[in-house]
């Protein structure tokens, strides 16, 4: 009779806790160590009892299904004898978690937490589908300020501040603040409809009708609070103020005057600029002030000149000006140096009194010796076919996060250089996502590490 009772209890417990075959049950420390040694992306659930784990296991079954082949979900029951020892050894405190954050964490453990699961964002309406978005606009009587965004912690912070809500009764606001991640391609139509050309984009609605955008979000929360009290459409942007040629000691050149002017000057530093360029605007007063100082004495080491390369394109094209500002030093009409490091008045003055060639540019990652294979669209597939396992880093050469990751990725490649089954490779981000034959069609952030097995992206 006792055996029968135990069997009935065991069967009822197993029936109550339905464990997905994708979730691995771990019984002791030895099993856990083996799992961690053989798997690379593991999330372990610890529960106080088997029954207490019911809701968690149902949740994790969905997570395991969403990350099938990308991650391993393990479960430790701290209620049984073996599990109790393991939980005590690991010093765990079983608690509750949410599925979305688990999926996001396992896809990118270093990434920011999901905005919609941040307790500070409880007053923000988080919209997941276009259907929910349309439904919100249809039913909501209050004005709606919708922030269309891509997952990025720095952007989300602007709506997390409680001060954004207009004054009113506790728990009540004069408008609805909402957020929607429209970065996935499925929302391209929505982005086109509301002119979402960058992130974040704020759209203001009244009674379901779109009125206008809010564009001054960079000014901070206080400005948004003030704007919500009297929402107005964006003001026309003031036209760019041209560089005042008459009040400036800088010589302003054109396509026609450029060559003749430089032939007359023993030494000249020319700034190629664009009126809309923020770095150019910041540098103009420094350049003007340096020019005034250089013009004061009779023994001036040279003159400063400027050319708007967006207007006088012939000269800009001749010198292959691709970025602004670009500074070039000329002697007797002949180009000597390109000087990217000159930005301040002091640096400009120092150079003009002692013209020296700039330091050589930093060697690119491809030119440095390492065990990393540098791939392009033409050899991407062929290279990965030769290796069973490959970890590929998609990067942009100018990205500071990528630069920080380079030494770590290079060091890891050194560890696997003798293993013929494993390869570590890099692909410049600017090449691969645009190619039709590349297995990775969407690399939204850099650096991005992707693991391939037999050319199949894992």
């Amino acid at each position: 009779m006792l055996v029968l009772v135990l069997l009935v209890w065991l069967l009822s417990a197993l029936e109550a806790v339905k464990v997905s075959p994708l979730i691995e049950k771990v019984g002791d420390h030895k099993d856990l160590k083996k799992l961690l040694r053989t798997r690379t992306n593991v999330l372990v659930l610890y529960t106080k009892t088997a029954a207490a784990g019911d809701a968690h296991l149902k949740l994790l079954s969905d997570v395991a299904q969403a990350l099938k082949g990308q991650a391993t979900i393990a479960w430790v029951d701290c209620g049984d004898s073996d599990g109790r020892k393991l939980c005590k050894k690991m010093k765990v405190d079983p608690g509750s978690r949410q599925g979305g954050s688990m999926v996001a964490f396992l896809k990118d453990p270093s990434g920011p937490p999901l905005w919609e699961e941040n307790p500070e964002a409880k007053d923000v309406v988080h919209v997941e589908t276009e259907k929910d978005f349309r439904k919100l606009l249809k039913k909501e009587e209050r004005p709606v300020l919708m922030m269309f965004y891509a997952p990025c912690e720095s952007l989300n912070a602007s709506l997390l501040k409680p001060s954004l809500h207009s004054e009113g009764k506790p728990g009540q606001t004069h408008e609805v603040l909402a957020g929607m991640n429209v970065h996935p391609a499925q929302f391209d139509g929505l982005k086109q409809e509301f002119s979402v050309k960058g992130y974040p984009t704020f759209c203001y609605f009244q009674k379901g009708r779109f009125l206008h955008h809010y564009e001054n979000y960079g000014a901070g929360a206080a400005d948004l609070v003030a704007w919500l009290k009297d929402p107005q459409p964006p003001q026309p942007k003031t036209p760019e103020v041209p560089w005042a040629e008459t009040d400036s000691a800088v010589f302003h050149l054109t396509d026609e005057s450029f060559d003749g002017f430089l032939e007359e000057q023993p030494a000249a530093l020319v700034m190629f600029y664009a009126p809309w360029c923020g770095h150019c605007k910041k540098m103009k007063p420094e350049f003007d002030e340096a020019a005034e100082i250089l013009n004061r004495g009779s023994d001036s080491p040279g003159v400063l000149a400027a050319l708007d390369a967006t207007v006088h394109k012939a000269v800009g094209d001749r010198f292959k000006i691709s970025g602004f500002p670009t500074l070039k030093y000329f002697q007797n009409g002949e180009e000597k140096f390109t000087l990217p490091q000159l930005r301040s008045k002091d640096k400009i003055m120092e150079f003009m009194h002692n013209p020296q060639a700039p330091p050589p540019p930093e060697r690119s990652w491809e030119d440095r010796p390492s065990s990393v294979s540098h791939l392009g669209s033409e050899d991407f597939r062929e290279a990965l076919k030769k290796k069973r396992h490959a970890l590929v880093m998609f990067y942009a050469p100018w990205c500071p996060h990528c630069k920080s990751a380079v030494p770590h990725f290079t060091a890891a490649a050194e560890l696997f250089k003798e293993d013929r089954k494993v390869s570590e490779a890099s692909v410049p981000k600017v090449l691969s996502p645009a190619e039709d034959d590349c297995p990775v069609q969407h690399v939204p952030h850099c650096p991005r590490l992707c693991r391939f097995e037999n050319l199949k992206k894992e």
Side-chain angles (χ1 to χ4, degrees):
M1 179 63 72
L2 180 60
V3 174
L4 180 60
V5 171
L6 289 174
L7 283 174
V8 171
W9 177 85
L10 181 60
L11 288 171
S12 62
L14 290 174
E15 180 66 24
V17 184
K18 295 180 179 179
V19 182
S20 166
L22 296 175
I23 297 178
E24 302 210 15
K25 180 75 162 60
V26 178
D28 56 35
H29 192 253
K30 183 178 179 181
D31 292 339
L32 181 61
K33 288 181 66 177
K34 181 180 179 181
L35 183 68
L36 298 180
R37 187 173 64 252
T38 56
R39 307 293 175 85
T40 57
N41 195 14
V42 182
L43 181 68
V44 183
L45 168 70
Y46 297 89
T47 63
K48 293 181 179 180
T49 63
D54 187 23
H56 299 290
L57 291 168
K58 289 179 181 177
L59 174 65
L60 281 177
S61 296
D62 297 334
V63 175
Q65 186 63 43
L67 294 168
K68 187 177 180 181
Q70 301 179 54
T72 299
I73 308 295
W75 171 43
V76 178
D77 177 9
C78 299
D80 62 32
S81 56
D82 292 331
R84 190 180 302 112
K85 295 177 183 178
L86 177 57
C87 293
K88 186 176 181 180
K89 185 177 183 66
M90 299 300 294
K91 299 179 181 179
V92 298
D93 180 21
S96 62
R97 298 293 184 269
Q98 292 178 297
S101 59
M102 293 180 189
V103 173
F105 172 78
L106 286 169
K107 285 185 175 180
D108 184 8
S110 62
L114 290 181
W115 185 26
E116 58 266 30
E117 293 189 8
N118 189 323
E120 294 183 14
K122 63 181 183 301
D123 294 326
V124 177
V125 177
H126 297 278
V127 182
E128 295 186 0
T129 67
E130 184 172 347
K131 182 179 179 181
D132 291 339
F133 167 70
R134 305 288 182 188
K135 185 176 179 181
L136 172 68
L137 295 184
K138 186 176 181 179
K139 74 172 185 178
E140 187 56 62
E141 293 293 329
R142 293 173 294 171
V144 175
L145 181 65
M146 171 65 70
M147 184 175 94
F148 294 112
Y149 70 95
C152 176
E153 187 175 17
S154 61
L155 300 182
N156 296 348
S158 62
L159 277 187
L160 294 180
K161 299 180 183 297
S163 60
L164 285 182
H165 294 279
S166 303
E167 295 180 1
K169 297 179 180 179
Q172 199 174 42
T173 62
H174 293 306
E175 62 281 317
V176 175
L177 301 182
M180 183 176 181
N181 172 17
V182 293
H183 190 57
Q186 69 193 72
F187 299 115
D188 285 350
L190 201 63
K191 287 182 280 189
Q192 185 176 1
E193 180 181 351
F194 296 105
S195 300
V196 180
K197 299 177 181 178
Y199 303 115
T201 292
F202 289 86
C203 294
Y204 185 76
F205 299 85
Q206 278 189 359
K207 296 182 178 179
R209 186 168 64 93
F210 169 67
L211 293 186
H212 37 251
H213 291 95
Y214 168 72
E215 295 183 347
N216 199 31
Y217 55 85
D223 185 86
L224 180 51
V225 171
W227 183 85
L228 283 172
K229 293 178 180 178
D230 183 25
Q232 296 295 322
Q235 298 300 311
K237 293 183 178 179
T238 56
E240 297 290 347
V241 178
W243 200 341
E245 300 183 16
T246 55
D247 299 331
S248 172
V250 174
F251 293 91
H252 290 268
L253 308 180
T254 66
D255 283 336
E256 293 75 22
S257 65
F258 187 85
D259 292 325
F261 175 83
L262 291 184
E263 289 174 359
E264 297 174 356
Q265 303 296 331
L269 180 66
V270 181
M271 173 180 168
F272 297 84
Y273 72 97
W276 43 260
C277 164
H279 296 291
C280 302
K281 293 176 184 178
K282 185 177 180 180
M283 187 177 171
K284 281 179 184 178
E286 299 281 330
F287 207 66
D288 273 330
E289 191 172 343
E292 290 180 7
I293 296 173
L294 289 172
N295 288 350
R296 288 173 188 168
S298 57
D299 57 345
S300 174
V303 298
L304 302 189
L307 182 136
D308 182 350
T310 65
V311 175
H312 307 286
K313 297 181 180 180
V315 172
D317 291 344
R318 193 206 315 174
F319 290 99
K320 297 180 173 60
I321 305 300
S322 58
F324 304 108
T326 294
L327 274 77
K328 289 184 179 291
Y329 181 70
F330 295 83
Q331 287 183 345
N332 300 316
E334 181 183 349
E335 180 187 353
K336 291 295 183 180
F337 313 125
T338 299
L339 304 154
Q341 78 278 17
L342 300 185
R343 288 292 183 269
S344 67
K345 176 197 70 176
D346 293 338
K347 289 289 184 181
I348 293 169
M349 296 296 299
E350 180 183 342
F351 171 80
M352 292 299 289
H353 283 96
N354 184 26
Q356 298 289 330
E362 182 182 352
R363 294 173 67 188
S364 66
W365 191 10
E366 295 93 329
D367 294 334
R368 285 178 257 167
S370 74
S371 298
V372 175
S373 301
H374 295 278
L375 308 177
S377 58
E378 67 283 349
D379 58 355
F380 186 90
R381 284 183 170 274
E382 196 61 34
L384 294 192
K385 283 180 182 178
K386 299 176 182 178
K387 295 287 184 177
R388 182 178 178 184
H389 302 286
L391 183 64
V392 181
M393 174 175 161
F394 294 85
Y395 71 100
W398 44 261
C399 167
H401 301 294
C402 301
K403 292 179 180 179
S404 300
V406 165
H408 302 288
F409 196 78
T410 303
E414 287 294 319
L415 298 176
F416 290 103
K417 65 181 180 180
E418 302 299 334
D419 192 332
R420 296 184 178 181
K421 296 181 180 179
V422 180
S423 173
E424 300 223 1
S426 70
V427 180
K429 181 188 172 189
V430 293
L431 292 179
S432 59
E435 300 296 334
D436 293 337
D437 62 346
C438 176
V440 180
Q441 295 297 326
H442 185 54
V443 184
H445 307 292
C446 58
R448 175 69 70 197
L449 299 181
C450 297
R451 181 168 66 89
F452 293 82
E453 187 169 332
N454 296 326
L455 197 56
K456 181 181 178 183
K457 181 176 177 287
E458 297 292 332

